């Protein structure tokens, strides 16, 4: 099975990669999770013939939190009940009245995040024409095309993205970022104090992905941030 | 990693026999009565198990005693769920005060009896046998307790054999059996919906907790029965078809550990502080770091240090251990307050701060910091260094700039020392300020905004307020400059060459003093009328104020007048124009300039050698 790597730079003013144990009154992981990264890559380019695998996540901005209060609702519209019968009949009530079902949630979200996602894809079926998929991904990422707007953990945290040449060296936390990486509409304050990313930081067990075929079971992997990078995510996963 | 840190702390406590932590599978329950049986299962008496406690009024009161029993909290809900060898009077004796549903009570008792009879063979213990015999022969319908007995049948009860000191559930045969079942089947048999999955804490396959218990009590404003951090109490919070705790795979044992230890931490008043709506709790990885932890806690949080002085009784309460410790604590806090790192033992230990705020039955995490205590001390010292502003009025000297004090300064102020009023503080701000202090990041822009706006409306610029304004501006500039970067310092004490907005503040202070010197006892000074607009839109105000000051100057003694004119000229020489508008940060600088110049004008010259130009 052929494997091919790409790099994608993503950033945004806020992000929330909620920990499962604290996802109601949400507390974000310190760093983007591999499944969130996969979601972003797939938003830009995906075909049934390929499968994306996240291999590394580079953290470019210091890890900072802020709190956020959001309004939500307590219930879901039942997919099998109201929606199902409405689909059969062609009419029916499938509304939720937010003001009657109000819930307020507090969240600890990340602010001013900036990452480089390293991913590769495996060809599952069809002709093993990697160049075609690579080319399409690059063209789409370069021109800002996406199937749906990618987001940083939750829909309300918009993600911006840019293509990065896979050969580029990502600067270590002690070095400044290249000028063109900060010319984007991006808060200056987040570029300072990158040194705090140096060294090793144990992030504990982090959500790796959801195993949808086996009863949508979550899997976790031991995440360690070394000099701003979580590496070998796919291999770490196998060891866990 | 909040939960793993709590679990580590629990494991340390369990290893320490003095800590008296409840191990997994047990819980402390309020026991008010005890059924005493003889070995053949005959009732001897229903004894009062309460203990007398001295109340504040000097009276004695009977309170239920805490006993460690097998099993977790009494399950809620309407099902029949008998506990092992403990329960309320309905289960234990088939009796309930003013019973509206006697059938239900009888059913409870029968369920309780059957549950124990089922275990009889398996447990095979004399004491347990006696209980079984009692349950078989007990006639719950005929049972009518007298009034005195009714008084203590309100809470939970236990069994005891006549002549024995311990309770039946503590007998070796019974407890041994219970521990064996715990290990064989760590889940407890009653939960039929249990699932196995990879735990998100240890990464190992475990039985997953559906509900996280015991519930966490002690968070101010949360439900008094307790609330939970990990909670999926509405349908919208559930994902992927998972129910309740299965959304967050934490094992039953892990859930028990972190809940128990957090509950215990929150009950320890030395480690809990209220910041706005947030209840902050902290702990350190080693007991050796106690003094360092105390220093840290006092300098960053403690409210009673707002009235810090050596003779106060509060101070005795702070560190009653011994005089030497207290002395060390005091010097360390003073050092930290000056922005220096104190010399303490145990600073390399891990330190954790967790801020929780309530949302009805749920708890949300407001802030979380974890790292070496040294880092935290450095940050608290940095916070104090950033807020260093001279001169410090005598009654403020040595007072740490605690988070609470910062927040308090945002509340309304009528010129007299403000009383702590947690309600006047924006809740969100409290968490954000705490986070900035812990993380070393910039203070929230809303803090600067809150103070500057508050000063403009109150017209009161206290040392604390000026210091916070200075800290906000300094911290932001430093963070923007990056590590080792150069940035423009904000004046700590009166600086004749300060930036423009700062000079405007100075000028305003001089003009105000000139007015009060010329017209002592004026009801309304220019501060009351013009402070707000002068600091926001100088061009619209200052020309008028300068004209007005000519009349004031004319009223002064000639020598005095010349000196004052010189001072006004000196300040004006630093100003090119009066700007139309000042931005938030510039308004802050205006207020600092005002504070410095005003303090200088009111201080005798001999005490302030810095301010030669104000010689009169």
């Amino acid at each position: 099975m052929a494997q091919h790597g790409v790099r994608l730079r993503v950033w945004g003013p806020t992000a929330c990669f909620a920990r499962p144990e604290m996802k109601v009154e949400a507390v974000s992981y310190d760093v983007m999770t591999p499944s969130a990264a996969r979601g972003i890559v797939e938003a830009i380019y995906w075909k049934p013939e390929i499968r994306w695998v996240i291999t590394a996540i580079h953290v470019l901005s210091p890890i900072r939190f802020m709190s956020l209060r959001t309004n939500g609702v307590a219930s879901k519209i039942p997919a099998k009940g109201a929606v199902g019968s409405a689909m059969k009949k062609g009419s029916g009530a499938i509304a939720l009245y937010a003001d009657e079902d109000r819930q307020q949630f507090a969240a600890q979200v990340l602010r001013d995040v900036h990452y480089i996602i390293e991913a590769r894809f495996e060809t599952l079926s069809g002709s093993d024409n990697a160049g075609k998929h690579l080319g399409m991904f690059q063209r789409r990422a370069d021109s800002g095309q996406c199937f749906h707007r990618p987001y940083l953990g939750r829909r309300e945290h918009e993600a911006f993205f840019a293509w990065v040449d896979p050969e580029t060296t990502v600067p270590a936390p002690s070095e400044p970022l290249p000028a063109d990486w900060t010319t984007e509409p991006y808060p200056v304050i987040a570029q300072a104090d990158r040194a705090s990313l140096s060294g090793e930081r144990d992030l504990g067990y982090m959500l790796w992905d959801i195993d949808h075929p086996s009863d949508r079971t979550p899997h976790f992997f031991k995440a360690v941030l070394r000099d701003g990078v979580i590496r070998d995510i796919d291999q770490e996963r196998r060891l866990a | 990693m909040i939960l793993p840190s709590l679990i580590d702390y629990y494991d340390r406590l369990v290893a320490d026999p003095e800590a008296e932590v409840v191990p997994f599978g047990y819980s402390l329950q309020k026991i008010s009565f005890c059924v005493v049986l003889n070995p053949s299962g005959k009732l001897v008496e229903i004894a009062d198990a309460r203990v007398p406690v001295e109340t504040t009024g000097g009276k004695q009161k009977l309170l239920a005693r805490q006993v460690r029993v097998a099993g977790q909290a009494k399950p809620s809900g309407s099902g029949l769920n008998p506990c092992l060898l403990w329960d309320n009077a309905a289960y234990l004796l088939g009796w309930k005060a003013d019973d509206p549903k006697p059938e239900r009570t009888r059913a409870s008792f029968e369920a309780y009896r059957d549950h124990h009879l089922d275990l009889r063979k398996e447990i095979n213990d004399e004491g347990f046998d006696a209980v079984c015999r009692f349950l078989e022969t007990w006639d719950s319908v005929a049972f009518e307790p007298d009034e005195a007995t009714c008084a203590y049948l309100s809470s939970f009860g236990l069994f005891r054999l006549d002549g024995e000191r311990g309770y039946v559930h503590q007998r070796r045969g019974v407890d041994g059996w219970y521990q064996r079942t715990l290990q064989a089947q760590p889940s407890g048999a009653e939960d039929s919906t249990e699932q196995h999955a990879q735990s998100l804490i240890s990464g190992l396959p475990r039985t997953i907790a559906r509900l996280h218990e015991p519930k966490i009590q002690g968070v101010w404003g949360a439900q008094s029965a307790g609330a939970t951090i990990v909670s999926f109490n509405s349908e919208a919070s559930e994902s992927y078809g998972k129910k309740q705790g299965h959304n967050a795979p934490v094992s039953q044992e892990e859930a028990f550990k972190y809940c128990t230890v957090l509950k215990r931490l929150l009950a320890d008043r030395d480690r809990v502080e209220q910041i706005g709506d947030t209840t902050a709790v902290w702990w350190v990885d080693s007991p050796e770091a106690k003094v360092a932890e105390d220093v840290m806690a006092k300098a960053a949080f403690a409210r009673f240090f707002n009235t810090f002085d050596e003779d106060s009784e509060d101070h005795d309460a702070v560190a009653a251990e011994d005089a030497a410790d207290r002395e060390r604590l005091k010097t360390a806090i003073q050092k930290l307050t000056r922005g220096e790192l104190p010399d303490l033992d145990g600073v390399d230990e891990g330190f954790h701060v967790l801020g929780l705020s309530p949302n009805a039955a749920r708890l949300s995490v407001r802030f979380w910091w974890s790292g070496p205590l040294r880092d935290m001390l450095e940050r608290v010292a940095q916070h104090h260094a950033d807020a260093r502003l001279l001169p410090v009025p005598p009654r403020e000297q040595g007072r740490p700039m605690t988070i609470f004090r910062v927040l308090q300064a945002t509340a309304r102020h009528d010129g007299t020392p403000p009383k702590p009023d947690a309600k006047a503080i924006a809740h969100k701000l409290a968490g954000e300020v705490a986070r900035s202090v812990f993380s070393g990041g910039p203070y929230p822009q809303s803090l600067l905004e809150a103070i500057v706006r508050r000063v403009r409306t109150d017209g009161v610029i206290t040392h604390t307020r000026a210091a916070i304004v200075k800290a906000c501006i300094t911290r932001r500039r430093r963070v923007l400059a990056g590590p080792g970067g150069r940035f423009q310092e904000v004046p700590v004490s009166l600086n004749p060459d300060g930036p423009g907005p700062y000079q405007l503040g100075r000028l305003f202070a001089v003009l105000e003093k000139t007015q009060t010197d010329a017209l002592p006892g004026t009801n309304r000074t220019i501060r009351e009328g013009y402070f707000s607009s002068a600091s926001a839109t100088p061009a619209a105000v200052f020309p008028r104020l300068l004209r007005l000051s000519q009349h004031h100057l004319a009223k002064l003694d000639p020598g005095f007048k010349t000196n004052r004119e010189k001072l006004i000229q000196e300040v004006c020489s630093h100003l090119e124009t009066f700007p139309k508008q000042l931005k938030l940060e510039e308004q802050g600088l205006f207020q600092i300039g005002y504070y410095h110049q005003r303090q200088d004008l009111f201080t005798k010259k001999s005490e302030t050698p810095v301010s030669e130009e104000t010689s009169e």
Side-chain angles (χ1 to χ4, degrees):
Chain A
M1 212 186 303
Q3 298 183 352
H4 306 280
V6 297
R7 277 191 187 175
L8 189 71
R9 188 159 66 87
V10 297
W11 67 94
T14 54
C16 182
F17 310 105
R19 294 168 175 272
E21 75 270 33
M22 287 162 221
K23 70 165 198 165
V24 182
E25 303 281 331
V27 177
S28 176
Y29 281 112
D30 293 4
V31 173
M32 170 189 270
T33 61
S35 57
R38 180 177 54 77
I40 294 176
V41 173
E42 284 179 353
I44 293 165
Y45 177 75
W46 181 82
K47 281 269 191 291
E49 294 94 68
I50 61 166
R51 177 172 65 193
W52 285 107
V53 177
I54 305 299
T55 50
I57 293 171
H58 299 254
V59 186
L60 301 178
S61 285
I63 296 162
R64 281 173 60 206
F65 281 90
M66 65 176 252
S67 33
L68 200 67
R69 198 171 259 286
T70 48
N71 289 326
V73 290
S75 12
K76 293 190 267 199
I77 300 171
K80 280 190 186 129
V83 175
S85 70
M87 281 175 83
K88 269 197 203 111
K89 280 194 285 186
S91 69
I94 51 168
L96 264 186
Y97 297 98
D99 49 347
E100 291 167 14
D101 200 22
R102 180 68 72 213
Q103 289 271 305
Q104 268 209 329
F105 302 102
Q108 291 302 303
V109 302
L110 294 166
R111 66 186 301 176
D112 302 332
V113 296
H114 197 178
Y115 302 104
I116 287 180
I117 300 168
E118 273 183 42
R120 63 184 166 81
F121 61 84
E122 294 167 355
T123 315
L124 297 177
S125 61
S127 64
D128 193 0
N129 193 350
K132 176 185 84 171
H133 295 302
L134 273 178
M136 279 171 93
F137 182 82
Q138 179 180 354
R139 278 194 303 278
R140 290 180 64 83
D142 237 356
S143 57
Q145 281 174 288
C146 49
F147 297 135
H148 59 86
R149 274 306 300 178
Y151 52 89
L152 296 160
R154 292 182 168 198
R155 286 282 166 90
E156 59 262 48
H157 305 290
E158 189 180 20
F160 302 90
F161 59 89
W163 161 262
V164 182
D165 187 338
E167 304 301 316
T168 330
T169 36
V170 181
S174 49
E175 298 163 33
L177 290 181
D180 61 323
W181 286 15
T182 54
T183 49
E184 307 283 350
Y186 194 73
V188 196
I189 204 156
Q191 299 305 333
D193 200 24
R194 290 217 317 134
S196 63
L197 293 165
S198 300
E200 191 172 303
R201 197 191 296 209
D202 183 1
L203 302 176
Y205 277 88
M206 182 186 265
L207 180 68
W208 174 70
D209 216 328
I210 308 275
D211 183 1
H212 284 267
S214 348
D215 192 25
R216 298 171 282 190
T217 307
H219 287 282
F220 299 88
F221 77 108
K222 191 118 180 76
V224 180
L225 191 66
R226 281 191 195 88
D227 287 329
V229 201
I230 306 179
R231 278 190 203 285
D232 300 328
I233 292 170
D234 47 342
Q235 283 163 32
E236 285 265 6
R237 167 65 202 125
R238 273 178 211 133
L239 296 173
Chain B
M1 293 183 292
I2 302 169
L3 304 191
S5 302
L6 283 165
I7 290 169
D8 285 352
Y9 188 60
Y10 175 92
D11 288 340
R12 261 200 317 282
L13 285 184
V14 160
D16 177 4
E18 275 176 36
E20 290 178 1
V21 197
V22 191
F24 176 58
Y26 296 86
S27 60
L28 286 179
Q29 296 294 341
K30 285 179 180 159
I31 303 296
S32 69
F33 69 97
C34 176
V35 179
V36 186
L37 307 171
N38 70 16
S40 57
K42 276 257 160 50
L43 179 72
V44 176
E45 62 164 335
I46 295 176
D48 190 347
R50 294 173 298 175
V51 278
V53 176
E54 199 105 337
T55 60
T56 40
K59 284 180 192 160
Q60 284 219 328
K61 213 177 147 188
L62 288 166
L63 284 182
R65 107 182 35 218
Q66 296 262 338
V67 182
R68 181 203 284 186
V69 297
Q72 304 281 306
K74 181 81 190 153
S76 57
S78 55
L80 293 170
N81 35 36
C83 300
L84 184 72
L85 291 173
W86 65 277
D87 221 311
N88 57 38
Y91 281 93
L92 223 60
L93 302 167
W95 176 88
K96 200 173 175 183
D98 310 320
D99 201 348
K101 281 190 271 179
E103 302 82 41
R104 154 90 196 171
T105 311
R106 205 165 314 132
S108 313
F109 173 73
E110 278 159 15
Y112 192 76
R113 184 186 61 202
D114 296 345
H115 177 62
H116 285 76
L117 293 183
D118 285 349
L119 296 171
R120 189 176 191 169
K121 268 224 176 85
E122 215 179 309
I123 294 178
N124 192 20
D125 175 89
E126 261 175 58
F128 195 79
D129 263 353
V131 173
C132 288
R133 249 168 289 178
F134 163 75
L135 291 172
E136 277 171 338
T137 52
W138 178 249
D139 183 2
S140 63
V141 184
F143 176 57
E144 267 189 40
D146 54 42
E147 209 170 300
T149 316
C150 283
Y152 54 79
L153 285 181
S154 54
S155 201
F156 293 123
L158 286 172
F159 290 102
R160 183 160 65 84
L161 284 192
D162 195 20
E164 276 188 28
R165 283 200 66 203
Y167 299 102
V168 173
H169 73 271
Q170 292 167 337
R171 286 175 66 96
R172 197 175 297 161
V174 181
D175 195 52
W177 169 84
Y178 182 69
Q179 287 193 10
R180 282 195 300 280
T181 47
L182 266 185
Q183 273 150 18
Q185 195 183 23
S187 54
E190 70 274 6
D191 195 345
S192 57
T193 56
E194 68 185 42
Q195 281 189 6
H196 290 267
Q198 188 189 9
S199 156
L200 58 79
I201 289 167
S202 60
L204 301 168
R206 286 280 180 275
T207 312
I208 299 309
R210 195 172 56 82
L211 297 172
H212 288 205
E213 280 176 336
K215 287 196 166 160
I216 295 150
Q217 287 163 324
V219 175
W220 180 82
Q223 284 178 4
S224 56
T228 43
I229 295 183
V230 181
S231 148
F232 301 87
N233 59 357
S234 63
E235 207 190 328
S237 314
E238 296 176 337
S239 304
Y240 300 116
K242 309 267 184 239
K243 289 281 161 214
Q244 293 180 311
H246 299 142
N247 280 277
V250 175
S251 81
Q252 294 182 328
E253 191 166 354
E254 288 158 346
F256 169 81
K257 284 179 174 179
Y258 90 81
C259 288
T260 307
V261 80
L262 184 54
K263 200 174 153 185
R264 182 189 164 94
L265 278 169
L266 284 163
D268 182 353
R269 288 194 55 197
D270 279 353
R271 295 164 185 273
V272 176
E273 183 69 26
Q274 195 64 36
I275 305 173
D277 72 337
T278 304
T279 303
V281 58
W282 58 89
W283 65 97
V284 74
D285 276 347
S286 152
E288 271 93 74
K290 186 78 185 92
V291 175
E293 182 194 14
D294 268 0
V295 169
M296 168 44 231
K298 257 94 223 178
F301 308 104
R303 181 176 312 184
F304 36 80
F305 261 74
N306 283 323
T307 53
F308 174 74
D309 74 86
E310 287 170 42
D311 310 319
S312 96
E313 282 177 34
D314 276 346
H315 190 54
D316 290 331
V318 169
E321 292 94 306
D322 60 61
D325 259 10
R326 205 158 67 193
E327 199 51 41
R328 275 170 66 209
L329 189 71
K330 210 179 83 190
T331 5
I333 290 173
Q334 277 168 355
K335 222 168 169 188
L336 205 57
T337 314
R338 284 199 302 269
E340 297 161 31
L341 204 61
D343 179 29
L344 290 164
D345 292 338
V347 287
D348 293 316
E349 299 295 336
F351 183 80
H352 316 269
V353 190
L354 175 64
L356 293 170
S357 68
N359 189 353
R362 294 191 298 261
L363 295 176
S364 62
V365 174
R366 256 316 139 77
F367 50 79
W368 164 246
W369 190 91
S370 178
L373 186 53
R374 180 193 300 280
D375 287 9
M376 179 54 100
L377 284 168
E378 267 171 19
R379 281 169 187 183
V380 174
Q382 180 73 65
H383 162 73
H384 282 107
D386 284 345
R388 205 170 97 90
L389 188 80
L390 297 175
V392 184
R395 74 185 158 82
E396 309 263 323
Q397 256 152 22
R399 277 178 65 193
M401 186 65 75
T402 60
I403 295 168
F404 188 73
R405 198 172 143 204
V406 171
L407 295 167
Q408 208 182 312
T410 64
R412 196 176 299 124
H413 194 305
D414 56 6
T416 52
K419 278 216 175 91
D421 180 10
K423 271 179 269 162
I425 295 160
H427 285 162
K428 190 162 174 283
L429 193 60
E432 296 281 333
V433 169
R435 198 200 337 275
S436 309
V437 173
F438 304 149
S439 68
Y443 296 105
Q445 192 68 1
S446 49
L447 175 66
L448 182 59
E449 228 171 82
I451 298 274
V452 166
R453 208 180 40 223
R454 190 41 84 194
V455 169
R456 281 180 53 190
T457 41
D458 290 352
V460 178
I461 179 141
T462 60
H463 170 255
T464 314
R465 284 180 171 179
I468 297 167
V469 167
K470 187 235 163 193
C472 285
I473 299 172
T474 308
R475 181 76 71 106
R476 191 174 165 77
R477 286 183 179 173
R478 172 170 336 95
V479 173
L480 276 170
R486 294 171 64 83
F487 62 96
Q488 202 190 359
E489 301 263 358
V490 182
V492 173
S493 56
L494 184 71
N495 179 359
D497 302 317
Y502 179 84
Q503 300 295 348
L504 285 171
R506 282 184 66 199
L507 182 58
F508 192 84
V510 178
L511 295 179
E512 185 199 350
K513 185 71 164 72
T514 310
Q515 184 194 29
T516 46
D517 285 344
L519 311 162
T522 318
N523 276 336
R524 204 173 145 78
T525 63
I526 59 169
R527 179 166 60 156
E528 266 93 44
Y530 295 102
F531 187 86
S532 175
S533 39
S535 64
T537 52
V541 184
F542 273 100
R544 194 181 332 161
L545 291 180
L546 282 173
R547 263 200 314 281
L548 202 61
S549 76
Q550 292 307 316
H551 301 297
H552 301 145
L553 284 169
K555 288 209 166 77
L556 297 179
D557 293 339
F560 199 27
K561 181 186 167 193
T562 321
N563 269 325
R564 196 47 67 77
E565 277 176 330
K566 262 194 192 156
L567 177 57
I568 294 176
Q569 269 165 22
E570 185 268 322
V571 179
C572 286
S573 68
H574 296 281
L575 292 163
E576 284 165 19
T577 53
F578 292 118
K580 279 220 171 71
Q581 277 175 346
L582 292 186
K583 284 185 253 167
L584 186 68
E585 192 178 294
E586 295 168 330
Q587 291 183 29
L589 289 170
F590 179 98
Q591 294 175 357
I592 296 170
Y594 173 80
Y595 175 80
H596 279 156
Q597 188 60 54
R598 193 175 149 80
Q599 289 298 318
D600 192 72
L601 286 168
F602 278 96
T603 319
K604 285 198 188 76
K605 195 196 145 230
S606 57
E607 291 171 19
T608 52
V610 204
S611 51
E612 280 163 14
E613 75 277 15
T614 60
S615 54
E616 292 168 357

